Amino acid sequence: MIASRFTAPSAALGRLLRRRPSFPRGLHLAEHKDTAGLPIQRLPFAPELIVPMLQHIGKPAIPSVRPGQTVVRGEPIGRADGFYSLPVHAPVTGVVRAIEPHLLADGRMVTAVVIHTLEAADQRVLWRTPRDVERLAGPALIQAIQDTGLAGMGGAAFPAHAKLAPPEDAVIDTLIVNGAECEPYLTCDHRVMLEWPAAVMAGIRLAMRACGARQAIIGVEDNKPDAIVALTAALPADGSVRVQDVATKYPQGAADILIYTLTGREVPAGQRSSAVGVLVSNVMTLATLGQLLPAGEGLIERVITVAGPGVARPGNYRVPLGTPMRYLLDFVGARGGVREVVLGGPMMGPAVASLDVPVTKGTSGVLVLTPRELAFETRPVRACIRCGECVCVCPRGLNPCMLGLLAARGEYETMVADYHLEQCFECGCCSYVCPANIPLVQQFRVAKGVWRKRSASRAA
Ligand code: SF4
Ligand code: SF4
Protein backbone atom coordinates (compact mmCIF):
# COMPACT_ATOMS: atom_id res chain seq x y z
CA MET A 1 0.00 0.00 0.00
CA ILE A 2 1.38 3.40 -0.82
CA ALA A 3 0.19 6.75 0.41
CA SER A 4 2.14 9.11 -1.80
CA ARG A 5 0.22 12.14 -3.02
CA PHE A 6 -0.66 11.76 -6.68
CA THR A 7 -1.39 15.17 -8.13
CA ALA A 8 -4.95 15.47 -9.40
CA PRO A 9 -4.74 15.85 -13.21
CA SER A 10 -6.81 18.40 -15.08
CA ALA A 11 -8.43 15.63 -17.19
CA ALA A 12 -10.39 14.61 -14.10
CA LEU A 13 -11.63 18.15 -13.48
CA GLY A 14 -14.26 18.11 -16.22
CA ARG A 15 -15.74 14.92 -14.87
CA LEU A 16 -15.84 16.36 -11.38
CA LEU A 17 -18.12 19.11 -12.62
CA ARG A 18 -20.63 16.68 -14.16
CA ARG A 19 -23.01 14.99 -11.75
CA ARG A 20 -22.92 11.19 -11.74
CA PRO A 21 -24.24 8.80 -9.09
CA SER A 22 -21.73 8.56 -6.28
CA PHE A 23 -21.22 8.20 -2.53
CA PRO A 24 -20.26 10.61 0.27
CA ARG A 25 -16.60 11.39 1.04
CA GLY A 26 -13.80 9.38 -0.63
CA LEU A 27 -10.99 10.75 -2.80
CA HIS A 28 -10.31 12.00 -6.30
CA LEU A 29 -6.96 10.48 -7.22
CA ALA A 30 -4.74 10.96 -10.24
CA GLU A 31 -5.55 7.98 -12.42
CA HIS A 32 -2.28 6.90 -14.07
CA LYS A 33 -4.28 4.67 -16.40
CA ASP A 34 -1.83 4.95 -19.31
CA THR A 35 -2.32 1.27 -20.20
CA ALA A 36 -6.05 1.79 -20.92
CA GLY A 37 -5.31 2.22 -24.63
CA LEU A 38 -3.21 -0.94 -24.92
CA PRO A 39 -5.00 -4.07 -26.19
CA ILE A 40 -4.78 -7.30 -24.22
CA GLN A 41 -1.80 -9.42 -25.32
CA ARG A 42 -0.71 -12.90 -24.38
CA LEU A 43 2.28 -13.62 -22.20
CA PRO A 44 4.39 -16.58 -23.39
CA PHE A 45 4.66 -19.63 -21.13
CA ALA A 46 7.36 -19.59 -18.47
CA PRO A 47 9.69 -22.64 -18.52
CA GLU A 48 8.03 -23.82 -15.31
CA LEU A 49 4.63 -22.96 -13.82
CA ILE A 50 3.86 -23.18 -10.10
CA VAL A 51 0.15 -23.92 -9.78
CA PRO A 52 -1.10 -23.62 -6.16
CA MET A 53 -3.97 -25.81 -5.00
CA LEU A 54 -5.28 -22.82 -3.06
CA GLN A 55 -5.92 -19.69 -5.12
CA HIS A 56 -9.25 -18.73 -3.55
CA ILE A 57 -10.88 -18.13 -0.19
CA GLY A 58 -11.83 -21.57 1.16
CA LYS A 59 -10.43 -25.09 1.27
CA PRO A 60 -7.53 -26.07 -1.01
CA ALA A 61 -8.02 -28.51 -3.87
CA ILE A 62 -6.58 -32.03 -3.62
CA PRO A 63 -3.91 -32.78 -6.27
CA SER A 64 -5.15 -35.41 -8.74
CA VAL A 65 -1.89 -35.90 -10.68
CA ARG A 66 1.49 -37.36 -9.72
CA PRO A 67 5.10 -36.35 -10.44
CA GLY A 68 6.27 -37.49 -13.86
CA GLN A 69 2.75 -37.39 -15.35
CA THR A 70 2.17 -35.50 -18.60
CA VAL A 71 -0.75 -33.05 -18.45
CA VAL A 72 -2.37 -31.09 -21.26
CA ARG A 73 -3.51 -27.47 -21.16
CA GLY A 74 -6.93 -27.29 -19.50
CA GLU A 75 -6.79 -30.72 -17.82
CA PRO A 76 -7.93 -30.91 -14.17
CA ILE A 77 -4.92 -31.33 -11.86
CA GLY A 78 -6.67 -30.76 -8.53
CA ARG A 79 -10.20 -31.66 -7.42
CA ALA A 80 -12.42 -29.52 -5.20
CA ASP A 81 -12.58 -30.59 -1.55
CA GLY A 82 -16.14 -29.60 -0.66
CA PHE A 83 -18.46 -26.72 -1.55
CA TYR A 84 -16.07 -23.93 -0.52
CA SER A 85 -13.27 -25.32 -2.64
CA LEU A 86 -12.40 -25.13 -6.34
CA PRO A 87 -10.83 -27.51 -8.84
CA VAL A 88 -7.53 -26.46 -10.43
CA HIS A 89 -6.65 -26.96 -14.11
CA ALA A 90 -3.31 -27.19 -15.93
CA PRO A 91 -2.46 -23.81 -17.51
CA VAL A 92 0.10 -25.39 -19.84
CA THR A 93 0.90 -28.68 -21.53
CA GLY A 94 3.88 -30.22 -19.78
CA VAL A 95 5.21 -32.72 -17.27
CA VAL A 96 4.54 -32.55 -13.54
CA ARG A 97 7.98 -32.06 -12.02
CA ALA A 98 6.91 -31.96 -8.38
CA ILE A 99 4.05 -31.55 -5.94
CA GLU A 100 5.49 -29.51 -3.10
CA PRO A 101 4.78 -26.62 -0.72
CA HIS A 102 5.24 -23.20 -2.27
CA LEU A 103 5.08 -19.61 -1.09
CA LEU A 104 2.05 -17.47 -2.02
CA ALA A 105 2.02 -13.67 -2.27
CA ASP A 106 0.18 -13.41 1.07
CA GLY A 107 3.00 -15.26 2.85
CA ARG A 108 1.25 -18.64 3.19
CA MET A 109 2.86 -21.92 2.14
CA VAL A 110 0.47 -24.12 0.13
CA THR A 111 0.76 -27.28 -1.92
CA ALA A 112 1.48 -26.53 -5.58
CA VAL A 113 1.76 -28.65 -8.71
CA VAL A 114 4.94 -27.60 -10.53
CA ILE A 115 4.66 -28.18 -14.29
CA HIS A 116 7.67 -28.20 -16.59
CA THR A 117 6.47 -26.64 -19.87
CA LEU A 118 6.86 -28.78 -22.99
CA GLU A 119 8.73 -26.90 -25.72
CA ALA A 120 5.94 -27.54 -28.24
CA ALA A 121 3.22 -26.24 -25.88
CA ASP A 122 0.88 -23.75 -27.51
CA GLN A 123 -2.11 -21.68 -26.43
CA ARG A 124 -4.80 -24.14 -27.54
CA VAL A 125 -6.92 -25.58 -24.74
CA LEU A 126 -6.75 -29.36 -25.18
CA TRP A 127 -9.19 -30.44 -22.47
CA ARG A 128 -12.80 -29.30 -22.48
CA THR A 129 -16.32 -30.66 -22.07
CA PRO A 130 -18.66 -28.24 -23.93
CA ARG A 131 -22.13 -27.84 -22.39
CA ASP A 132 -25.54 -26.70 -23.49
CA VAL A 133 -25.75 -23.87 -20.96
CA GLU A 134 -29.32 -23.01 -21.93
CA ARG A 135 -30.46 -26.24 -20.23
CA LEU A 136 -28.53 -25.61 -17.02
CA ALA A 137 -30.38 -24.23 -13.99
CA GLY A 138 -30.50 -24.53 -10.19
CA PRO A 139 -27.97 -26.83 -8.48
CA ALA A 140 -26.73 -28.19 -11.84
CA LEU A 141 -25.78 -24.66 -12.92
CA ILE A 142 -24.02 -23.96 -9.60
CA GLN A 143 -22.13 -27.26 -9.94
CA ALA A 144 -21.12 -26.42 -13.52
CA ILE A 145 -19.79 -23.04 -12.36
CA GLN A 146 -17.80 -24.73 -9.59
CA ASP A 147 -16.34 -27.16 -12.16
CA THR A 148 -14.78 -24.21 -14.02
CA GLY A 149 -12.69 -23.39 -10.93
CA LEU A 150 -13.77 -19.75 -11.21
CA ALA A 151 -12.96 -17.42 -8.29
CA GLY A 152 -13.67 -13.69 -8.04
CA MET A 153 -11.09 -11.92 -10.18
CA GLY A 154 -11.41 -8.47 -8.61
CA GLY A 155 -8.98 -9.43 -5.87
CA ALA A 156 -11.00 -11.22 -3.17
CA ALA A 157 -10.98 -14.61 -4.99
CA PHE A 158 -14.16 -15.90 -3.36
CA PRO A 159 -15.45 -19.02 -5.20
CA ALA A 160 -17.86 -17.73 -7.88
CA HIS A 161 -20.38 -20.58 -7.54
CA ALA A 162 -20.65 -20.04 -3.77
CA LYS A 163 -21.29 -16.35 -4.24
CA LEU A 164 -23.95 -16.99 -6.89
CA ALA A 165 -25.78 -19.43 -4.61
CA PRO A 166 -27.21 -16.95 -2.07
CA PRO A 167 -28.57 -18.03 1.34
CA GLU A 168 -31.93 -19.85 1.13
CA ASP A 169 -33.76 -17.14 3.05
CA ALA A 170 -32.47 -14.32 0.78
CA VAL A 171 -34.22 -12.96 -2.32
CA ILE A 172 -31.82 -11.39 -4.83
CA ASP A 173 -33.52 -8.91 -7.15
CA THR A 174 -30.46 -7.13 -8.53
CA LEU A 175 -27.08 -8.27 -9.82
CA ILE A 176 -24.50 -5.49 -9.72
CA VAL A 177 -21.65 -5.88 -12.14
CA ASN A 178 -18.59 -4.12 -10.82
CA GLY A 179 -16.81 -2.37 -13.67
CA ALA A 180 -15.73 0.62 -11.61
CA GLU A 181 -12.01 -0.24 -11.43
CA CYS A 182 -11.35 2.73 -9.16
CA GLU A 183 -7.73 1.99 -8.16
CA PRO A 184 -5.10 4.08 -10.00
CA TYR A 185 -3.04 2.26 -12.68
CA LEU A 186 -5.39 -0.74 -13.11
CA THR A 187 -7.03 -1.04 -16.54
CA CYS A 188 -7.56 -4.78 -17.06
CA ASP A 189 -11.32 -4.61 -16.35
CA HIS A 190 -11.53 -1.64 -18.72
CA ARG A 191 -9.92 -3.64 -21.56
CA VAL A 192 -12.15 -6.66 -20.88
CA MET A 193 -15.30 -4.50 -21.09
CA LEU A 194 -14.00 -2.93 -24.30
CA GLU A 195 -12.76 -6.09 -26.01
CA TRP A 196 -15.12 -8.80 -24.71
CA PRO A 197 -18.57 -7.17 -24.25
CA ALA A 198 -20.41 -10.25 -25.61
CA ALA A 199 -18.69 -12.46 -23.02
CA VAL A 200 -19.65 -9.97 -20.29
CA MET A 201 -23.32 -10.22 -21.34
CA ALA A 202 -23.17 -14.04 -21.55
CA GLY A 203 -21.72 -14.18 -18.03
CA ILE A 204 -24.33 -11.76 -16.70
CA ARG A 205 -27.16 -13.91 -18.16
CA LEU A 206 -25.75 -17.02 -16.47
CA ALA A 207 -25.17 -15.25 -13.16
CA MET A 208 -28.71 -13.80 -13.16
CA ARG A 209 -30.12 -17.28 -13.75
CA ALA A 210 -27.97 -18.74 -10.97
CA CYS A 211 -28.89 -16.16 -8.30
CA GLY A 212 -32.43 -15.37 -9.46
CA ALA A 213 -31.89 -11.64 -10.08
CA ARG A 214 -34.41 -9.99 -12.40
CA GLN A 215 -32.19 -7.07 -13.34
CA ALA A 216 -28.48 -6.34 -13.66
CA ILE A 217 -26.75 -2.98 -13.47
CA ILE A 218 -23.21 -2.61 -14.78
CA GLY A 219 -21.51 0.19 -12.84
CA VAL A 220 -18.64 1.80 -14.76
CA GLU A 221 -16.69 4.89 -13.71
CA ASP A 222 -17.12 7.73 -16.20
CA ASN A 223 -13.41 7.73 -17.05
CA LYS A 224 -14.08 4.74 -19.37
CA PRO A 225 -16.48 6.18 -21.98
CA ASP A 226 -15.38 3.73 -24.70
CA ALA A 227 -16.16 0.76 -22.44
CA ILE A 228 -19.59 2.25 -21.67
CA VAL A 229 -20.29 2.55 -25.41
CA ALA A 230 -19.12 -1.03 -26.11
CA LEU A 231 -21.23 -2.51 -23.31
CA THR A 232 -24.28 -0.46 -24.22
CA ALA A 233 -24.10 -1.74 -27.80
CA ALA A 234 -24.08 -5.33 -26.52
CA LEU A 235 -27.03 -5.03 -24.09
CA PRO A 236 -29.84 -7.59 -24.50
CA ALA A 237 -33.05 -6.27 -26.03
CA ASP A 238 -35.27 -7.31 -23.11
CA GLY A 239 -34.12 -4.38 -20.94
CA SER A 240 -33.02 -6.60 -18.03
CA VAL A 241 -29.46 -5.26 -18.09
CA ARG A 242 -28.35 -1.63 -18.11
CA VAL A 243 -25.09 0.27 -17.94
CA GLN A 244 -24.78 3.10 -15.41
CA ASP A 245 -21.85 5.48 -15.48
CA VAL A 246 -20.80 6.52 -11.98
CA ALA A 247 -18.49 9.24 -10.71
CA THR A 248 -14.78 8.53 -10.94
CA LYS A 249 -13.94 8.53 -7.28
CA TYR A 250 -12.01 6.23 -4.97
CA PRO A 251 -13.17 3.71 -3.57
CA GLN A 252 -16.21 3.58 -5.89
CA GLY A 253 -15.45 -0.09 -6.68
CA ALA A 254 -15.79 -1.35 -3.08
CA ALA A 255 -18.85 -3.63 -3.14
CA ASP A 256 -20.96 -1.94 -0.47
CA ILE A 257 -20.09 1.50 -1.83
CA LEU A 258 -21.14 0.58 -5.38
CA ILE A 259 -24.40 -0.89 -4.06
CA TYR A 260 -25.16 2.43 -2.39
CA THR A 261 -24.17 4.42 -5.48
CA LEU A 262 -26.31 2.36 -7.85
CA THR A 263 -29.34 1.48 -5.71
CA GLY A 264 -29.27 3.77 -2.67
CA ARG A 265 -29.42 0.65 -0.44
CA GLU A 266 -27.12 0.40 2.58
CA VAL A 267 -25.82 -3.00 3.63
CA PRO A 268 -26.32 -3.27 7.42
CA ALA A 269 -23.11 -3.57 9.45
CA GLY A 270 -21.82 -7.13 9.62
CA GLN A 271 -24.27 -8.45 7.00
CA ARG A 272 -23.86 -9.63 3.42
CA SER A 273 -25.22 -7.73 0.42
CA SER A 274 -27.92 -10.39 0.02
CA ALA A 275 -29.56 -8.77 3.07
CA VAL A 276 -30.58 -5.91 0.77
CA GLY A 277 -31.40 -8.15 -2.20
CA VAL A 278 -28.19 -7.48 -4.11
CA LEU A 279 -25.29 -9.57 -5.31
CA VAL A 280 -22.10 -7.94 -6.62
CA SER A 281 -19.70 -9.56 -9.07
CA ASN A 282 -16.60 -8.23 -10.76
CA VAL A 283 -16.93 -7.69 -14.52
CA MET A 284 -13.91 -9.81 -15.47
CA THR A 285 -15.25 -12.69 -13.38
CA LEU A 286 -18.50 -12.59 -15.34
CA ALA A 287 -16.79 -12.23 -18.73
CA THR A 288 -14.68 -15.27 -17.87
CA LEU A 289 -17.79 -17.18 -16.78
CA GLY A 290 -19.40 -16.31 -20.12
CA GLN A 291 -16.37 -17.74 -21.93
CA LEU A 292 -15.62 -20.82 -19.82
CA LEU A 293 -19.03 -22.31 -19.10
CA PRO A 294 -20.31 -22.83 -22.67
CA ALA A 295 -16.86 -24.09 -23.71
CA GLY A 296 -16.69 -26.45 -20.72
CA GLU A 297 -13.22 -25.20 -19.83
CA GLY A 298 -11.47 -24.54 -16.54
CA LEU A 299 -9.87 -21.27 -15.43
CA ILE A 300 -6.23 -21.37 -16.54
CA GLU A 301 -5.34 -17.74 -17.27
CA ARG A 302 -6.44 -14.19 -16.50
CA VAL A 303 -5.86 -10.62 -17.68
CA ILE A 304 -3.49 -8.60 -15.50
CA THR A 305 -2.42 -4.97 -15.71
CA VAL A 306 1.35 -4.68 -15.38
CA ALA A 307 2.16 -1.02 -14.84
CA GLY A 308 3.96 1.58 -12.79
CA PRO A 309 7.00 3.79 -13.31
CA GLY A 310 9.30 0.77 -12.86
CA VAL A 311 7.96 -1.12 -15.91
CA ALA A 312 9.61 -0.73 -19.33
CA ARG A 313 6.74 -2.28 -21.34
CA PRO A 314 3.53 -1.77 -19.35
CA GLY A 315 0.29 -3.28 -20.62
CA ASN A 316 -2.56 -5.68 -20.12
CA TYR A 317 -1.35 -9.25 -20.35
CA ARG A 318 -3.26 -12.51 -20.54
CA VAL A 319 -1.15 -14.51 -18.12
CA PRO A 320 -1.24 -18.29 -17.49
CA LEU A 321 -1.99 -18.95 -13.80
CA GLY A 322 1.11 -20.17 -12.00
CA THR A 323 3.47 -17.91 -13.95
CA PRO A 324 6.27 -16.88 -11.56
CA MET A 325 6.26 -13.15 -10.84
CA ARG A 326 9.97 -13.01 -11.68
CA TYR A 327 9.32 -14.34 -15.21
CA LEU A 328 6.51 -11.82 -15.75
CA LEU A 329 8.69 -8.90 -14.64
CA ASP A 330 11.63 -10.09 -16.77
CA PHE A 331 9.30 -10.15 -19.77
CA VAL A 332 7.99 -6.59 -19.28
CA GLY A 333 11.44 -5.24 -18.34
CA ALA A 334 12.45 -2.89 -15.53
CA ARG A 335 13.47 0.76 -15.48
CA GLY A 336 14.25 3.43 -12.92
CA GLY A 337 15.39 1.15 -10.09
CA VAL A 338 12.64 -1.15 -8.87
CA ARG A 339 11.92 -0.59 -5.20
CA GLU A 340 8.65 -2.36 -4.54
CA VAL A 341 6.27 -4.71 -6.36
CA VAL A 342 2.62 -4.38 -5.37
CA LEU A 343 -0.13 -6.85 -6.26
CA GLY A 344 -3.30 -5.01 -7.27
CA GLY A 345 -3.68 -1.25 -7.03
CA PRO A 346 -1.51 1.17 -5.04
CA MET A 347 -4.18 2.02 -2.45
CA MET A 348 -5.10 -1.46 -1.22
CA GLY A 349 -2.62 -3.85 -2.83
CA PRO A 350 -0.03 -5.61 -0.66
CA ALA A 351 3.69 -5.50 -1.50
CA VAL A 352 5.23 -8.87 -2.32
CA ALA A 353 8.16 -10.11 -0.27
CA SER A 354 9.49 -12.49 -2.96
CA LEU A 355 9.37 -12.56 -6.75
CA ASP A 356 9.17 -16.36 -6.67
CA VAL A 357 5.44 -16.24 -5.94
CA PRO A 358 3.09 -17.26 -8.77
CA VAL A 359 0.28 -15.34 -10.45
CA THR A 360 -3.04 -16.68 -9.11
CA LYS A 361 -6.76 -16.31 -9.84
CA GLY A 362 -7.05 -13.15 -7.71
CA THR A 363 -4.04 -11.26 -9.11
CA SER A 364 -5.58 -8.22 -10.82
CA GLY A 365 -2.45 -6.15 -11.25
CA VAL A 366 1.29 -6.00 -10.78
CA LEU A 367 2.50 -2.51 -9.98
CA VAL A 368 6.21 -1.76 -9.99
CA LEU A 369 7.26 1.29 -8.01
CA THR A 370 10.59 3.09 -7.96
CA PRO A 371 12.22 4.97 -5.06
CA ARG A 372 10.55 8.20 -6.27
CA GLU A 373 6.99 7.02 -5.54
CA LEU A 374 8.03 5.68 -2.17
CA ALA A 375 9.69 8.87 -0.97
CA PHE A 376 6.77 9.33 1.46
CA GLU A 377 8.12 6.40 3.48
CA THR A 378 11.03 8.54 4.66
CA ARG A 379 8.77 11.38 5.87
CA PRO A 380 8.70 11.53 9.67
CA VAL A 381 5.54 10.46 11.48
CA ARG A 382 4.32 13.31 13.68
CA ALA A 383 1.65 13.65 16.34
CA CYS A 384 -1.98 14.02 15.26
CA ILE A 385 -2.90 17.68 14.85
CA ARG A 386 -6.68 17.00 14.93
CA CYS A 387 -7.15 18.51 11.50
CA GLY A 388 -10.07 16.17 10.75
CA GLU A 389 -8.93 15.45 7.17
CA CYS A 390 -9.19 11.71 7.74
CA VAL A 391 -12.77 12.03 9.01
CA CYS A 392 -13.72 14.06 5.93
CA VAL A 393 -12.62 11.32 3.51
CA CYS A 394 -13.60 8.09 5.26
CA PRO A 395 -16.28 6.52 3.03
CA ARG A 396 -17.56 4.49 5.97
CA GLY A 397 -18.15 7.59 8.09
CA LEU A 398 -15.71 6.37 10.76
CA ASN A 399 -13.45 8.50 12.93
CA PRO A 400 -9.94 7.38 11.86
CA CYS A 401 -8.34 10.07 14.02
CA MET A 402 -9.85 8.59 17.19
CA LEU A 403 -9.21 5.04 16.00
CA GLY A 404 -5.56 5.97 15.45
CA LEU A 405 -5.19 7.41 18.95
CA LEU A 406 -6.79 4.28 20.47
CA ALA A 407 -4.59 2.00 18.34
CA ALA A 408 -1.47 3.78 19.58
CA ARG A 409 -2.63 3.09 23.16
CA GLY A 410 -3.52 -0.55 22.38
CA GLU A 411 -7.18 0.00 23.31
CA TYR A 412 -8.49 -2.45 20.74
CA GLU A 413 -11.69 -3.35 22.59
CA THR A 414 -12.79 0.30 22.60
CA MET A 415 -11.90 0.60 18.90
CA VAL A 416 -14.33 -2.22 18.12
CA ALA A 417 -17.07 -1.56 20.67
CA ASP A 418 -17.32 2.23 20.40
CA TYR A 419 -15.68 3.21 17.11
CA HIS A 420 -16.74 0.33 14.80
CA LEU A 421 -13.29 -0.82 13.74
CA GLU A 422 -14.80 -3.84 11.98
CA GLN A 423 -16.54 -1.46 9.56
CA CYS A 424 -13.16 -0.29 8.24
CA PHE A 425 -12.40 -2.04 4.93
CA GLU A 426 -8.85 -0.70 4.75
CA CYS A 427 -9.34 1.55 1.72
CA GLY A 428 -6.41 3.73 2.82
CA CYS A 429 -8.14 7.10 2.25
CA CYS A 430 -7.36 8.25 5.80
CA SER A 431 -3.64 7.41 5.60
CA TYR A 432 -3.43 9.06 2.21
CA VAL A 433 -4.62 12.47 3.41
CA CYS A 434 -3.01 12.53 6.86
CA PRO A 435 -0.59 15.50 7.01
CA ALA A 436 1.10 13.94 10.06
CA ASN A 437 1.97 10.82 7.98
CA ILE A 438 0.38 8.54 10.56
CA PRO A 439 0.12 5.02 9.09
CA LEU A 440 -3.52 4.74 10.12
CA VAL A 441 -4.58 1.86 7.93
CA GLN A 442 -1.57 -0.22 8.97
CA GLN A 443 -2.47 0.43 12.61
CA PHE A 444 -6.06 -0.68 11.94
CA ARG A 445 -4.87 -3.89 10.30
CA VAL A 446 -2.75 -4.75 13.33
CA ALA A 447 -5.59 -3.84 15.71
CA LYS A 448 -8.05 -6.08 13.85
CA GLY A 449 -5.59 -8.97 13.88
CA VAL A 450 -4.98 -8.68 17.62
CA TRP A 451 -8.67 -8.25 18.42
CA ARG A 452 -9.71 -11.29 16.31
CA LYS A 453 -7.06 -13.41 17.98
CA ARG A 454 -8.23 -12.33 21.43
CA SER A 455 -11.88 -12.99 20.52
CA ALA A 456 -11.00 -16.46 19.19
CA SER A 457 -9.07 -17.40 22.32
CA ARG A 458 -11.93 -16.14 24.52
CA ALA A 459 -14.41 -18.26 22.52
CA ALA A 460 -12.18 -21.39 22.71
S1 SF4 B 1 -10.91 4.19 8.57
FE1 SF4 B 1 -10.85 2.45 7.19
S2 SF4 B 1 -12.59 2.74 5.81
FE2 SF4 B 1 -12.19 4.72 6.80
S3 SF4 B 1 -10.78 5.79 5.42
FE3 SF4 B 1 -9.51 4.72 6.90
S4 SF4 B 1 -9.04 2.78 5.91
FE4 SF4 B 1 -10.80 3.64 4.80
S1 SF4 C 1 -5.64 13.37 9.25
FE1 SF4 C 1 -3.96 12.72 10.59
S2 SF4 C 1 -3.43 14.58 11.73
FE2 SF4 C 1 -5.44 14.96 10.80
S3 SF4 C 1 -6.93 14.32 12.38
FE3 SF4 C 1 -6.58 12.55 11.08
S4 SF4 C 1 -4.95 11.40 12.11
FE4 SF4 C 1 -4.93 13.48 12.96
Side-chain angles (χ1 to χ4, degrees):
M1 215 290 304
I2 64 167
S4 63
R5 280 147 204 282
F6 306 113
T7 335
S10 58
L13 200 59
R15 290 197 297 272
L16 280 178
L17 301 174
R18 282 181 280 132
R19 283 211 169 264
R20 294 281 184 270
S22 195
F23 64 97
R25 300 173 290 275
L27 288 173
H28 295 283
L29 300 170
E31 293 160 16
H32 297 284
K33 293 186 184 272
D34 315 331
T35 52
L38 303 175
I40 297 166
Q41 57 178 303
R42 281 191 183 277
L43 190 84
F45 294 119
E48 207 162 74
L49 298 190
I50 303 150
V51 191
M53 292 293 103
L54 183 62
Q55 305 182 42
H56 55 271
I57 294 176
K59 276 182 92 177
I62 300 167
S64 55
V65 290
R66 56 184 194 288
Q69 183 176 336
T70 299
V71 292
V72 297
R73 183 160 148 89
E75 180 178 346
I77 57 172
R79 62 174 190 279
D81 185 15
F83 187 70
Y84 289 98
S85 182
L86 288 172
V88 179
H89 303 77
V92 68
T93 297
V95 177
V96 176
R97 184 183 63 69
I99 299 174
E100 60 189 19
H102 219 282
L103 183 70
L104 289 188
D106 63 9
R108 283 181 299 174
M109 294 292 286
V110 303
T111 302
V113 173
V114 183
I115 304 174
H116 182 78
T117 303
L118 282 187
E119 261 182 43
D122 61 28
Q123 302 284 351
R124 279 173 304 160
V125 177
L126 300 171
W127 185 292
R128 58 161 66 96
T129 47
R131 304 167 189 273
D132 179 2
V133 290
E134 296 311 321
R135 296 162 67 105
L136 283 175
L141 176 56
I142 296 294
Q143 179 64 59
I145 296 171
Q146 183 177 17
D147 292 346
T148 65
L150 185 62
M153 299 171 102
F158 193 75
H161 70 282
K163 186 179 235 190
L164 291 170
E168 276 178 16
D169 54 348
V171 177
I172 302 297
D173 58 56
T174 304
L175 172 71
I176 285 185
V177 183
N178 192 343
E181 201 167 48
C182 60
E183 278 261 16
Y185 290 100
L186 299 187
T187 61
C188 51
D189 284 350
H190 184 166
R191 289 310 306 184
V192 164
M193 290 187 279
L194 195 57
E195 297 185 38
W196 303 342
V200 173
M201 296 307 155
I204 290 173
R205 258 198 324 274
L206 290 164
M208 287 172 75
R209 201 188 311 155
C211 72
R214 291 191 312 273
Q215 65 160 347
I217 310 170
I218 313 173
V220 186
E221 281 192 344
D222 62 356
N223 60 354
K224 307 171 191 53
D226 50 356
I228 292 169
V229 169
L231 290 171
T232 305
L235 289 176
D238 63 9
S240 59
V241 185
R242 69 182 169 92
V243 184
Q244 176 65 61
D245 55 344
V246 298
T248 298
K249 189 179 177 187
Y250 180 82
Q252 189 72 264
D256 291 3
I257 301 278
L258 195 58
I259 291 172
Y260 176 80
T261 294
L262 291 173
T263 68
R265 301 178 199 177
E266 290 188 55
V267 180
Q271 293 196 35
R272 293 169 63 180
S273 65
S274 55
V276 293
V278 175
L279 200 142
V280 183
S281 185
N282 161 263
V283 71
M284 193 189 302
T285 311
L286 293 179
T288 308
L289 177 65
Q291 291 169 333
L292 295 183
L293 205 62
E297 295 175 7
L299 181 62
I300 54 175
E301 59 191 5
R302 63 156 298 148
V303 182
I304 293 176
T305 302
V306 188
V311 178
R313 287 178 298 284
N316 286 295
Y317 294 91
R318 204 166 177 175
V319 181
L321 300 175
T323 299
M325 208 60 72
R326 191 180 301 284
Y327 176 85
L328 173 62
L329 293 178
D330 282 349
F331 184 84
V332 299
R335 66 172 185 198
V338 173
R339 177 65 202 289
E340 195 166 278
V341 176
V342 171
L343 292 191
M347 294 299 286
M348 290 185 80
V352 290
S354 162
L355 293 184
D356 294 322
V357 299
V359 166
T360 58
K361 295 174 182 178
T363 311
S364 57
V366 177
L367 181 58
V368 184
L369 303 170
T370 65
R372 194 158 162 258
E373 293 76 52
L374 295 167
F376 74 94
E377 283 184 345
T378 56
R379 287 191 219 130
V381 175
R382 295 187 297 272
C384 171
I385 56 170
R386 309 285 179 116
C387 64
E389 289 284 321
C390 54
V391 180
C392 292
V393 296
C394 177
R396 277 278 199 251
L398 301 176
N399 185 338
C401 160
M402 199 60 207
L403 283 166
L405 293 172
L406 290 167
R409 297 206 294 257
E411 295 185 28
Y412 303 135
E413 310 290 330
T414 313
M415 289 174 79
V416 174
D418 298 340
Y419 292 89
H420 313 288
L421 175 66
E422 283 293 277
Q423 280 288 297
C424 166
F425 64 105
E426 299 168 19
C427 67
C429 288
C430 52
S431 301
Y432 183 89
V433 296
C434 178
N437 305 313
I438 300 171
L440 294 163
V441 71
Q442 287 87 345
Q443 290 181 337
F444 303 160
R445 254 180 229 139
V446 171
K448 281 185 198 175
V450 173
W451 180 73
R452 281 179 193 147
K453 226 176 209 172
R454 282 183 191 167
S455 305
S457 62
R458 268 200 301 267

